Amino acid sequence: MRHVTHLTIGPVGFRIGSDWRAPIAQLEDLYRDYPKPGIPDFNVHLFAARPWRKILRPSVMIGGDYTIPDAAPLPLAQGLLAAEMGMNLQMALAQRRYLLLHASAVERDGKAVLMTGISGAGKSTLAALLMARGWRLMGDEFVLIDPATGLAHAFPRLISLKNQAIAVAQAAVPDGRFGPLLAGTPKGDIRHLVPDLRAIRKMAEPAEPALLLFPRFGFDAAERPVPPSEAFVRLTQSSTNYVHLAERGFDALTRLVQSVPARAIDYPDTDGGIALVEALA
Amino acid sequence: MTPGWRLAAVLRDPARTEHFSARQWTELFAVARAEQMAGTLAHRLNGLDLDPTVQRLVDDAIASAGHLRLAALWEAEMARRALAPLGVPVVLLKGTAFAAAGLSPSLGRNIGDLDILVPRERMDEVEAALLAAGWEWVKPDPYDDAYYRRWMHELPPLIHRERDRMIDVHHTILPLTARIRPDARALLADSEPLGNGLCTLSRTDRLVHAVAHLLADGDLAGGMRNLWDFHCLVQDEGTMGLAERARHHGLGAEMARAGRLSHALYGTEVPFEWQGLRLLDHLYLRRLTARDGWGRQGRRLTRLGFYVRSHWLRMPPLMLARHLWTKYRKGYRPVG
Amino acid sequence: MTALYRAAAPETLRIVPLDALTLVYHRASGVTHVVDAPVPEMLEALDRDDLTVDQLLTRLSDSYDLLDADPAALAIRLDELVEAGLVERL
């Protein structure tokens, strides 16, 4: 690969290679405060489907140690997104050390609040706004539960803001470092926000899960307790590696739902959501 | 030394990693993952004095392979339960067979689909019993289905609707279009019970099948792993009677080639006559080890040659032309 | 012919009651099952002896207050457990 960079997110190291300079330059800028791994856990590579497609209507194929067939290529202008998707793919397909939960998480006083839900539930936005209010951001996409300790490990990759959430976050974090606007991606407009320095410096510190939230955006404010069996089923659905961890995964998840209270929250707007989370935590 | 060769060298002698740089370690795992051999590599490295980062990769790969092994053995057990009322001999093949028989290729081996061998005249009953027990067709395409039933050595692949696992039901070990016709009756007649209601091929037939799979079927994709199976089986159980049995199945030349390649790549102890290399063997070795430091396959000209070659071996030319044309119209391209 | 049923060996099962539901982790398959009553009770009864549907129904009725002591309903539950691999039809 012509262009290569290394970066560490939480406890996971990546090597990223690219046929083009631009995605690597963007990663090196946005991830400039992150440590570099000695030997990475995963490799991602961005390559042209055919040699001439490096130049002619360049389109970026996502490769790596683990890939899915038929991953559609992205235009070169969205190379940064391709790299992020490549890293997410490695985690989703092959993370075997931690139970991977598709959730955002913030921490205060060593206690972690885990927020999980379907895409569009506002996980990333809530996490970004809570970060702006002084919480330590642990991650906007994945939380890693260590089966040996039950602790939550941070995975503070770039916060991925979509469509209306971009303006909301820009208003809440006016001095934040934002990546380029990626318009017209398969998921609409995307802009990345770099987690604050505190989130990056503390990313190796795990925290004890203290609250599990299942948020839903766009409904009248409401809140109800979630029984452990429901939390268990919903968390297995939001984990890509629960099955592959076998009995370690079962231990980690039963411990989590038995020891941590869970609540489903509906919120009409982000201000309402923040108020609900802070009232419960 | 290319990254692909370096993986072979480390599998052969793990102590070679003692002075590896971070880059060499990174590339080693990238290539091993691409070859579906990360678990095998991890078992070879485990026990050495490793850097903690490497040890973590090793532990993860061992745990992951352990889970795949468990799932594969369970799938075999569920197939046994489904087929038990028929009283048909069910012979496990490849990865699942190695795991069930406790043979050394299974250590860390990635096991995907379940492959079983049953008598050809009982295929219809087996198919019906599997469909009744929750397996379903993968390919509803009528061309593919007709092609499989007419020319392949197996039923069209079935997938279990709950467990999402594939089963390949074979009645012999090479497609009926192939020039070589192994003796399927002898494979079944000489199979050995595993003590759990399932069987494996005999010692020599396991190697014959590994060789058929590696050299007479397919385009050598995953060849390093298949050749490692061969290497381990020979290390476990020797080569006595092997050449003779291979000749009986019409695979004498392939067996000799596998012996030469395995000796060259992994240092397998083989009879003297398999210890040199023929001219074409170098091409095979290049193809087998064609991975760069990202695990990508290089040397595209060699690869295409092997793709076309594998179809020539399996199908007479006219049939090949018809097959490729049908595939081409459907936008099919070989995956690389 | 009346089929006999046998449950997976208890050492292959991790049974964790939560609230209304119970988790069953099956070590032999690596699969987690979320089950309702009377599945744990059925597994327990079928672990001690291989039983027919009728024998199992008698056994369950003796130990628990079954609201619907219906052999046809029990046979359906058993088929589900057979398909899941937690029970084997002998």
Side-chain angles (χ1 to χ4, degrees):
Chain A
M1 303 253 67
R2 297 264 314 272
H3 308 278
V4 180
T5 189
H6 292 74
L7 53 97
T8 302
I9 306 177
V12 185
F14 295 93
R15 176 178 66 149
I16 298 151
S18 168
D19 279 344
W20 306 271
R21 196 179 151 276
I24 297 299
Q26 286 172 338
L27 286 171
E28 289 195 325
D29 176 39
L30 295 168
Y31 281 103
R32 70 186 178 208
D33 296 313
Y34 287 65
K36 291 188 185 299
I39 301 164
D41 294 275
F42 298 116
N43 301 283
V44 171
H45 40 98
L46 309 179
F47 62 98
R50 300 273 179 276
W52 60 88
R53 292 300 289 270
K54 282 183 195 176
I55 305 153
L56 192 70
R57 286 186 290 119
S59 81
V60 182
M61 301 287 288
I62 303 171
D65 293 338
Y66 304 93
T67 49
I68 46 173
D70 317 325
L74 293 171
L76 181 55
Q78 296 170 13
L80 173 64
L81 178 64
E84 290 283 322
M85 285 169 66
M87 288 190 277
N88 285 349
L89 207 54
Q90 305 313 302
M91 292 295 282
L93 295 176
Q95 174 56 244
R96 294 289 180 270
R97 202 171 309 143
Y98 304 99
L99 179 70
L100 187 87
L101 297 180
H102 188 216
S104 68
V106 291
E107 174 262 342
R108 203 161 60 185
D109 305 326
K111 307 283 184 196
V113 178
L114 278 47
M115 295 171 281
T116 180
I118 51 164
S119 185
K123 294 189 303 289
S124 289
T125 319
L126 282 180
L129 298 191
L130 287 163
M131 177 181 84
R133 292 174 59 83
W135 291 73
R136 192 244 300 193
L137 177 98
M138 295 186 74
D140 81 317
E141 179 84 358
F142 296 134
V143 181
L144 311 171
I145 306 292
D146 186 344
T149 61
L151 295 178
H153 286 256
F155 189 75
R157 52 155 221 174
L158 301 180
I159 301 168
S160 168
L161 301 161
K162 293 174 200 86
N163 302 320
Q164 303 91 320
I166 299 172
V168 174
Q170 279 171 325
V173 197
D175 54 350
R177 289 179 58 216
F178 287 86
L181 176 69
L182 308 173
T185 78
K187 292 180 171 181
D189 293 351
I190 288 184
R191 196 156 182 193
H192 293 95
L193 168 61
V194 182
D196 62 19
L197 274 179
R198 186 162 138 227
I200 299 168
R201 291 197 179 129
K202 290 185 78 174
M203 73 182 188
E205 289 177 28
E208 197 176 321
L211 180 63
L212 277 170
L213 292 179
F214 298 94
R216 279 203 311 172
F217 172 75
F219 293 85
D220 288 344
E223 184 232 317
R224 70 169 173 91
V226 174
S229 60
E230 184 188 337
F232 184 91
V233 171
R234 290 172 76 154
L235 289 174
T236 56
Q237 286 164 355
S238 68
S239 171
T240 55
N241 70 354
Y242 168 75
V243 170
H244 296 104
L245 291 193
E247 201 165 351
R248 285 187 301 147
F250 181 76
D251 286 334
L253 206 52
T254 44
R255 176 175 176 173
L256 187 67
V257 301
Q258 285 182 306
S259 59
V260 179
R263 293 261 186 297
I265 55 169
D266 292 352
Y267 62 102
D269 51 43
T270 43
D271 286 347
I274 297 295
L276 257 173
V277 173
E278 293 200 322
L280 286 167
Chain B
M1 185 181 275
T2 66
W5 265 108
R6 198 175 292 123
L7 171 62
V10 168
L11 290 170
R12 183 174 176 168
D13 177 16
R16 289 182 65 112
T17 56
E18 193 181 343
H19 300 293
F20 263 24
S21 65
R23 178 177 178 157
Q24 284 173 317
W25 278 115
T26 305
E27 294 185 347
L28 183 68
F29 275 90
V31 174
R33 285 168 180 173
E35 289 288 336
Q36 311 254 344
M37 293 187 80
T40 304
L41 172 67
H43 274 278
R44 293 291 288 157
L45 293 171
N46 204 23
L48 297 178
D49 183 21
L50 299 171
D51 176 277
T53 336
V54 176
Q55 187 66 50
R56 282 193 332 186
L57 295 178
V58 164
D59 292 344
D60 290 351
I62 288 177
S64 183
H67 175 69
L68 290 177
R69 174 195 171 88
L70 183 117
L73 290 175
W74 177 250
E75 203 56 28
E77 166 63 12
M78 290 306 271
R80 182 197 69 75
R81 290 183 188 183
L83 300 177
L86 304 183
V88 178
V90 177
V91 181
L92 299 178
L93 300 173
K94 299 193 238 180
T96 314
F98 303 150
L103 294 163
S104 69
S106 72
L107 213 56
R109 192 185 189 279
N110 187 33
I111 311 177
D113 305 342
L114 172 63
D115 293 280
I116 61 170
L117 177 77
V118 299
R120 189 173 188 183
E121 62 275 13
R122 309 290 301 269
M123 292 284 272
D124 290 347
E125 288 168 75
V126 167
E127 182 178 357
L130 291 174
L131 289 172
W135 276 270
E136 295 171 341
W137 301 121
V138 178
K139 300 188 179 191
D141 180 314
Y143 172 77
D144 276 337
D145 193 70
Y147 171 80
Y148 257 91
R149 286 175 191 278
R150 185 147 176 220
W151 299 116
M152 291 300 278
H153 51 313
E154 58 199 3
L155 290 176
L158 292 159
I159 195 159
H160 195 274
R161 62 167 178 253
E162 293 292 330
R163 296 190 300 279
D164 205 30
R165 303 270 306 191
M166 298 245 280
I167 186 169
D168 282 328
V169 182
H170 306 247
H171 60 79
T172 182
I173 53 174
L174 278 177
L176 300 178
T177 49
R179 165 175 63 78
I180 303 162
R181 294 288 182 94
D183 182 351
R185 282 187 191 287
L187 293 172
L188 281 161
D190 295 343
S191 65
E192 296 164 0
L194 281 162
N196 61 353
L198 297 162
C199 307
T200 95
L201 295 174
S202 70
R203 175 183 68 87
T204 47
D205 282 344
R206 281 195 288 268
L207 278 154
V208 167
H209 184 213
V211 166
H213 189 50
L214 174 71
L215 293 174
D217 182 23
D219 63 348
L220 279 190
M224 273 187 90
R225 204 267 311 266
N226 294 330
L227 199 59
W228 181 255
D229 288 345
F230 177 91
H231 164 79
C232 292
L233 290 173
V234 169
Q235 298 299 97
D236 278 0
E237 307 184 307
T239 54
M240 211 209 293
L242 197 55
E244 191 190 346
R245 186 67 170 181
R247 276 196 299 275
H248 173 79
H249 287 295
L251 286 157
E254 284 75 11
M255 181 63 75
R257 167 157 285 143
R260 295 195 302 269
L261 296 176
S262 184
H263 179 72
L265 201 58
Y266 297 129
T268 319
E269 289 169 38
V270 294
F272 179 75
E273 59 270 26
W274 292 350
Q275 292 185 7
L277 279 178
R278 306 276 174 83
L279 205 57
L280 198 56
D281 292 343
H282 294 282
L283 195 64
Y284 277 85
L285 287 171
R286 275 235 305 275
R287 170 66 183 84
L288 284 167
T289 57
R291 296 270 180 195
D292 71 5
W294 294 82
R296 297 181 305 170
Q297 285 189 310
R299 301 183 179 113
R300 291 182 176 271
L301 284 175
T302 326
R303 269 174 59 206
L304 188 64
F306 273 93
Y307 180 76
V308 171
R309 181 193 148 277
S310 84
H311 277 268
W312 277 94
L313 270 186
R314 284 153 62 138
M315 291 186 218
L318 239 174
M319 206 192 305
L320 171 71
R322 198 159 58 211
H323 178 70
L324 287 179
W325 170 241
T326 315
K327 288 287 186 193
Y328 177 78
R329 275 190 316 185
K330 293 197 296 191
Y332 176 86
R333 296 286 183 284
V335 193
Chain C
M1 189 186 79
T2 315
L4 282 173
Y5 293 87
R6 176 188 295 168
E11 65 272 16
T12 68
L13 299 176
R14 290 268 314 274
I15 298 183
V16 178
L18 284 180
D19 29 68
L21 300 174
T22 299
L23 303 177
V24 179
Y25 179 78
H26 185 205
R27 288 192 171 115
S29 64
V31 176
T32 307
H33 306 272
V34 183
V35 301
D36 199 352
V39 169
E41 293 80 5
M42 287 165 68
L43 292 174
E44 197 192 329
L46 290 172
D47 160 50
R48 275 174 283 145
D49 303 290
D50 303 340
L51 301 175
T52 65
V53 175
D54 290 336
Q55 287 169 331
L56 176 63
L57 191 64
T58 314
R59 195 74 68 91
L60 288 174
S61 309
D62 290 348
S63 318
Y64 309 97
D65 290 330
L66 281 187
L67 291 178
D68 52 345
D70 173 11
L74 185 63
I76 291 170
R77 292 286 90 75
L78 271 171
D79 283 344
E80 290 166 2
L81 293 177
V82 167
E83 175 141 355
L86 289 171
V87 166
E88 189 180 353
R89 190 187 287 117
L90 300 174

